[in-house]
Amino acid sequence: MNKDYYIISNGSIKRKENTIYYYGLEGDKKALPIEQVNDIHIYGEVDLNTKLINYISKYGVMIHFYNYYGYYSGTYYPRKKNVSGFSLVCQSACYLDEDERMYLAKSFIQSSAHHILRNMRYYKVNENLIETIKREVDNLGEAKDIADLMGREGRIRKTYYKSFNQILKHGFEFEKREKRPPKDPINAIMSFGNSIMYTNVLSEIYKTQLDPTISFLHEPSTKRFSLSLDIAEIFKPLIIDPIIFSLVNNKRLSKKDFVYEEEICYLSEIGKKKFLQEFEGKMQTTIKHRYLNRKVSYRTFIRLECYKLIKHFIKDEKYKVLKAWW
């Protein structure tokens, strides 16, 4: 099974025959066999050259870059091979059709809420909070437009966040969601986790015929791949939030793993390594698929959502959003 590789420290990446090597500034060396590489994520200051870029392009490997605080900056993409004008036209038509767009947007929120409630029930939070979210989900059909849907999604999230202090242990507290910039450890790790979720979704979109700029829940705009935001809504509470709760509650992540710089809080290098190790382990975890009758990794579940969307766009099969049954 191919895996993503994460470069946290400063150094360089070079090609030597059929292997990529990372050379750290302190003399450490790590081999990245090209046949086993899915994508590369770079968090440190790393030197690359065109010889490496040309080589990984043959294998469709993407390189994702993150800034000093660990948040997504951009991606090097090889030439896209899996393209379809027909699929693009159909995707655009679904966006322009108000009923189709509302159906897909509601689907993403329903899946997100399903996984949010799954987390809340697992940690046995206040039943009143669970009922509040269930009522919002039951009333999604009353939404008049996308703005109305986004408002309802926001209320679901706000209620969900109220349960965090019932879930988190060991002195970690959460008051409210603050993204720009995150000012406390939980906001910092949420932003970090959501960022890596977006890039992984974007990678899977890129490997299909989908156009990442045409979205349904989030408004398409210039300079952003908004479809990855849509699909990530499904997987953030399914993958990222359980990782956060597990790392904090099992004391694998402590307040020492965070750095405060003026009004910004972010994960230290050690904290990033802990989170990314847990994340990659989760992405490679397999579940027996109830329809495919075989084991499927969490990463593959993302790709399957992309294929299901394509089938919906070309009117082959109506989209049924993922709702975890395990």
Side-chain angles (χ1 to χ4, degrees), residues 70-256:
Y71 307 133
Y72 178 68
S73 293
T75 299
Y76 164 74
Y77 301 89
R79 181 173 61 86
K80 187 172 175 66
K81 299 177 182 178
N82 198 357
V83 296
S84 167
F86 176 67
S87 178
L88 175 59
V89 169
C90 292
Q91 184 177 346
S92 302
C94 278
Y95 168 77
L96 293 171
D97 185 310
E98 185 176 343
D99 290 337
E100 286 281 11
R101 185 181 178 189
M102 286 291 287
Y103 173 77
L104 292 171
K106 286 176 188 176
S107 295
F108 297 135
I109 295 176
Q110 287 166 347
S111 175
S112 176
H114 176 84
H115 298 137
I116 282 172
L117 290 169
R118 183 174 179 264
N119 293 338
M120 295 172 75
R121 292 189 183 105
Y122 178 83
Y123 285 98
K124 299 177 181 179
V125 304
N126 187 299
E127 192 67 30
N128 289 333
L129 296 177
I130 291 176
E131 289 301 319
T132 299
I133 291 178
K134 287 172 65 177
R135 283 194 297 272
E136 286 285 359
V137 175
D138 290 341
N139 294 330
L140 283 177
E142 298 176 2
K144 298 176 181 178
D145 51 31
I146 296 296
D148 191 353
L149 270 181
M150 289 294 285
R152 293 168 189 266
E153 190 271 341
R155 291 197 294 272
I156 290 172
R157 283 265 166 199
K158 191 172 182 179
T159 304
Y160 177 43
Y161 293 150
K162 288 180 181 178
S163 73
F164 274 34
N165 286 335
Q166 298 176 35
I167 298 173
L168 298 166
K169 300 178 181 179
H170 311 302
F172 281 87
E173 295 181 350
F174 183 77
E175 183 177 345
K176 63 179 180 178
R177 185 72 174 107
E178 293 179 308
K179 304 177 184 179
R180 301 180 181 87
K183 298 180 180 179
D184 60 78
I186 298 303
N187 272 297
I189 195 172
M190 286 176 69
S191 292
F192 182 84
N194 291 346
S195 181
I196 192 67
M197 192 75 257
Y198 294 143
T199 55
N200 273 263
V201 170
L202 184 58
S203 289
E204 296 308 313
I205 290 173
Y206 188 84
K207 293 165 187 172
T208 71
Q209 297 169 340
L210 290 175
D211 187 303
T213 66
I214 302 173
S215 53
F216 302 88
L217 175 60
H218 296 83
E219 196 67 42
S221 64
T222 58
K223 299 182 180 180
R224 76 169 184 172
F225 298 119
S226 47
L227 184 60
S228 65
L229 302 179
D230 281 2
I231 299 176
E233 291 296 326
I234 299 169
F235 294 97
K236 287 189 296 183
L238 179 62
I239 296 175
I240 299 301
D241 295 350
I243 290 175
I244 294 172
F245 301 148
S246 176
L247 286 172
V248 169
N249 291 353
N250 292 317
K251 293 185 177 181
R252 284 176 286 170
L253 201 65
S254 72
K255 292 187 177 180
K256 294 180 181 178

